[in-house]
Amino acid sequence: MTAVHDFPEKSGSASNRTARVLADRAAGEAYVASVCFKHGPPRLTGVELEFTVHHADDPARPLDPDVLATALGPHTPRTLRPDSPASPLPAGSPVSLEPGGQVEISALPQASLPELDAAVTADLTTLRDRLARHGLELGATGIDAHRPPRRILHTPRYAAMERRFAAIGPGGLTMMCSTAGLQICVDAGEPAEYAARWAAAHAMGPPLLALFANSRVHAGRDTGHASARWLAVHETEAVRTRTTGFGFGGPGGSNGSDGTTGFGGTGDSGRTGDGLNGFGGSGDPGGPHRFGGIGGSDRNSGSGEARGTHGAAGSRRTGAPGGLNGSGGTGHGLNGSGDPGEPNRFGGSVDSGKTGNSGNPAPSQPPLSDPAAAWGARLMDTPLMVLRRGDRPWDAPEGLTFADWIEGRGAGALLPRPTVADLDYHLTTMFTPVRPQGYLEIRYLDAQPPGDWLVPVALVAALLARPSTVDKVRELCAPVADAWATAAQCGLADRELAAAAAALADLGCAELGETGLAADRITEISESVQGRAHRAGSER
C-alpha cells in the first residue's frame, strides 16, 4: 500500500527529462495529463498482491526483519537491505515491502488471465516456500489480525509520513504498517472509451469492496467493521485519499450519509458524514479543489529500491529505464498506443458532484469527458506530503501545494524550482481508490488468502471486458457509487450494497468466458463469486 516503484535514470535523455524545470502551472498540468492516462485497446492485465508476514509458530510475535531478509534472500528489497540485488522472482515479479514488513509481489502484466495465473502462481509458490523454510508464513486477511502496527523499514519517506499522519490519528500508521491490499491493473482503454472505464472502475468500488471485505479483526480485536483496512485509509489525509468524481450527479451535487464530497464548480460546503477523518461533523467549507471519497496508499522506495510494476505506455514500447523490474530493459506498457513507457505515473480525475448513499439514487450519467486534464489540476492543488532533502528530514512545508511550489508562493519561494522528477515523485503520494499510471490501478480491495487472489481479478476483468458491460456496470452501481464508508463498515450486511454486488456477480460471471480461462477455472470462480454474493442475501 505504501511502497513506491522507483526507477533509476540510466539514459541521458531520461536524465534531461526529469531534470527539466517546470515553467508554470499549465506545464505541470499538461505533463500530468500526458503521462497518467495512456490510450489503446485493452489488452493486458496485472496484479499486485500484498500480504502480512508472520512467524508460523506465533503469528502475534513481532516480525523479525533479519529473519525476513534471510528468507527473501536475493529478492530482498533495498528498503530493507540496501546492498541486496533485489532480484525479481522466477516468473518476473519484483518483490517490495511495506513499512511494517508486509510483502508485495507485482506480477508482470500479461495478455491473458491464464498467463497471469501461471506467472503469479509460480512466483507465489516460490515466495511461500522461501518463507516457510525460515518459519514464516503469509497472512490471509487485509489487515494484521494478530499485531498492532509497528514500522520496521526506516526510510526518510516513511519517517516523514509517520510524523505527518500521527497528527491526524492512528489510521495512518495502521495503513502503513498493518494493511495489505489486492490491486488490479487494467488498460485505460481507447480514447473514446477510457473515461467510461475510469467511471466504471470507481462505481463498482463500494459493492466490490463489500463483496471481498476481508479485514475485520485487527491486533486480536474484532473491529466490528467488514474492512478495517479501508477505514484506516479513511483516517489519513483526505485530500490525497478521497475518490475523484466519475460521472454521477450534477455540479455541486449533494452528499449522503457516507460523507463523500460533491464536486461543484467552486466546491461544496461541509456536511454530516460518517465521522471518519474529514467525513464527520459539519465539515469545512469546500474550496475550489475539494475532493471526495477515499483511497488506498502508495509505494515508496525509501533508500532507492529500484523496481516497478508496469510500464505506463504504448504498444509494448520500451519503458523508461528500469522498465518493469528496475533492472533496465523493456517496459511492457498496458496500452496499445501512446508514448514510451514512463515509471510511476499516477492519475485520477475530478468531476461534478453526486448524490450520496442515503440520498436518491443517482442516475447513470455520461462519464467525465477529460479525466486526465482534471487530474492534472487536482495534482497541482494537492499539498506536498514529503519533500526529498537528502539526509535531512523529508517533512514538507505545511500546506504547500505543488502549484505553490511552481509559482514560488509561500515556502515555495525558498526552494529550488521543481522539476519533472519532483512532479513524478508528487504523483506517488496520491492514494486514490483507482490510480491511473497510464493504466488503471484498482486499489480498493482487501488482500485475499494467497490461493484466492484470482477470483476478484477475474471478476473485475470480466466486468471491464466489453464497452457494453462497462456501461451496465455504471448503471447497476449508480445507487451505491458513493457508499465507500458503508461498504467498509457493513459489507454485504447493507441491503443496497448486497443487491448491487449480487447484480455485479451475475453480470461478471456471465462474462467470464471473455477472459480466456479454462472451463473448470470459470466454474470454480463463478461458484466462489456467486456463493459470496448470494449467501449474503439468504442470511439477512
Side-chain angles (χ1 to χ4, degrees):
M1 291 273 300
T2 58
V4 85
H5 300 161
D6 190 21
F7 293 74
E9 297 289 4
K10 295 183 179 177
S11 70
S13 61
S15 297
N16 291 338
R17 175 184 61 77
T18 58
R20 176 165 57 87
V21 172
L22 293 163
D24 52 27
R25 177 187 176 117
E29 290 186 4
Y31 178 77
V32 171
S34 72
V35 299
C36 288
F37 290 84
K38 302 290 184 180
H39 302 147
R43 285 187 289 201
L44 302 180
T45 304
V47 67
E48 301 173 18
L49 303 177
E50 299 170 353
F51 302 97
T52 58
V53 180
H54 303 269
H55 294 280
D57 62 346
D58 182 6
R61 176 152 55 101
L63 180 62
D64 186 328
D66 292 329
V67 174
L68 179 60
T70 301
L72 293 176
H75 311 295
T76 303
R78 296 190 182 114
T79 46
L80 183 59
R81 292 290 182 266
D83 59 349
S84 171
S87 303
L89 293 165
S93 303
V95 177
S96 64
L97 293 174
E98 300 297 330
Q102 309 96 301
V103 68
E104 175 184 4
I105 66 170
S106 301
L108 304 189
Q110 303 293 334
S112 72
L113 281 189
E115 291 173 288
L116 184 65
D117 185 15
V120 173
T121 298
D123 282 347
L124 259 181
T125 298
T126 297
L127 176 65
R128 297 177 77 179
D129 287 348
R130 293 192 68 94
L131 293 175
R133 287 198 294 270
H134 295 272
L136 299 176
E137 63 183 6
L138 299 177
T141 62
I143 201 166
D144 195 322
H146 306 283
R147 303 168 301 205
R150 168 178 167 263
R151 184 162 63 92
I152 69 169
L153 296 187
H154 302 287
T155 69
R157 171 165 163 151
Y158 287 152
M161 287 176 65
E162 183 174 348
R163 287 189 293 269
R164 187 179 184 94
F165 292 154
I168 300 172
L173 186 63
T174 298
M175 178 191 74
M176 291 171 61
C177 300
S178 291
T179 63
L182 184 154
Q183 295 149 19
I184 303 169
C185 303
V186 297
D187 283 313
E190 298 278 20
E193 300 171 357
Y194 86 98
R197 287 170 63 82
W198 169 253
H202 282 84
M204 65 186 179
L208 290 186
L209 172 61
L211 185 64
F212 292 103
N214 186 36
S215 55
R216 184 180 178 102
V217 176
H218 179 218
R221 182 180 66 88
D222 187 341
T223 67
H225 301 305
S227 179
R229 165 188 167 269
W230 201 243
L231 293 182
V233 175
H234 268 258
E235 295 171 0
T236 60
E237 281 188 284
V239 70
R240 68 186 76 257
T241 61
R242 297 183 183 184
T243 188
T244 52
F246 46 87
F248 294 100
S254 59
N255 299 281
S257 64
D258 280 295
T260 48
T261 306
F263 295 85
T266 59
D268 298 310
S269 60
R271 68 287 173 208
T272 300
D274 283 324
L276 298 166
N277 182 44
F279 293 83
S282 59
D284 295 327
H289 300 284
R290 300 289 179 183
F291 311 105
I294 40 184
S297 59
D298 199 74
R299 309 262 181 291
N300 175 48
S301 68
S303 58
E305 177 189 2
R307 66 104 158 152
T309 314
H310 307 286
S315 51
R316 295 184 180 267
R317 299 190 183 197
T318 300
L324 284 162
N325 57 22
S327 60
T330 300
H332 292 245
L334 276 175
N335 291 290
S337 61
D339 297 327
E342 299 285 348
N344 302 325
R345 306 296 188 240
F346 309 101
S349 62
V350 181
D351 199 7
S352 57
K354 59 272 184 185
T355 300
N357 190 44
S358 68
N360 295 324
S364 179
Q365 298 285 341
L368 182 66
S369 60
D370 194 357
W375 181 252
R378 174 175 179 173
L379 265 291
M380 291 300 103
D381 292 300
T382 298
L384 302 182
M385 185 184 75
V386 295
L387 183 63
R388 293 178 293 175
R389 303 174 189 259
D391 293 333
R392 293 189 295 157
W394 285 20
D395 302 75
E398 184 64 30
L400 180 69
T401 68
F402 204 90
D404 292 335
W405 191 7
I406 291 178
E407 304 295 343
R409 293 190 293 264
L414 305 177
L415 299 172
R417 294 284 300 280
T419 66
V420 167
D422 293 316
L423 183 51
D424 288 344
Y425 201 81
H426 182 55
L427 295 173
T428 73
T429 69
M430 300 302 290
F431 307 154
T432 47
V434 182
R435 185 172 64 184
Q437 307 193 70
Y439 56 93
L440 305 184
E441 183 186 60
I442 296 171
R443 302 168 54 83
Y444 39 74
L445 297 178
D446 285 349
Q448 303 296 300
D452 295 343
W453 67 270
L454 185 59
V455 175
V457 174
L459 180 62
V460 167
L463 291 171
L464 297 177
R466 295 186 295 156
S468 60
T469 310
V470 168
D471 292 340
K472 187 65 174 178
V473 165
R474 293 173 55 225
E475 177 186 338
L476 292 174
C477 297
V480 294
D482 287 333
W484 293 97
T486 300
Q489 291 171 330
C490 304
L492 295 180
D494 180 85
R495 289 182 178 275
E496 283 191 296
L497 283 166
L504 285 181
D506 292 342
L507 177 64
C509 289
E511 295 289 328
L512 284 173
E514 299 292 319
T515 65
L517 290 168
D520 59 338
R521 289 294 265 162
I522 289 175
T523 298
E524 177 185 336
I525 291 166
S526 294
E527 290 177 351
S528 175
V529 170
Q530 296 286 5
R532 288 171 178 264
H534 295 285
R535 181 170 59 248
S538 65
E539 291 175 352
R540 283 197 307 272

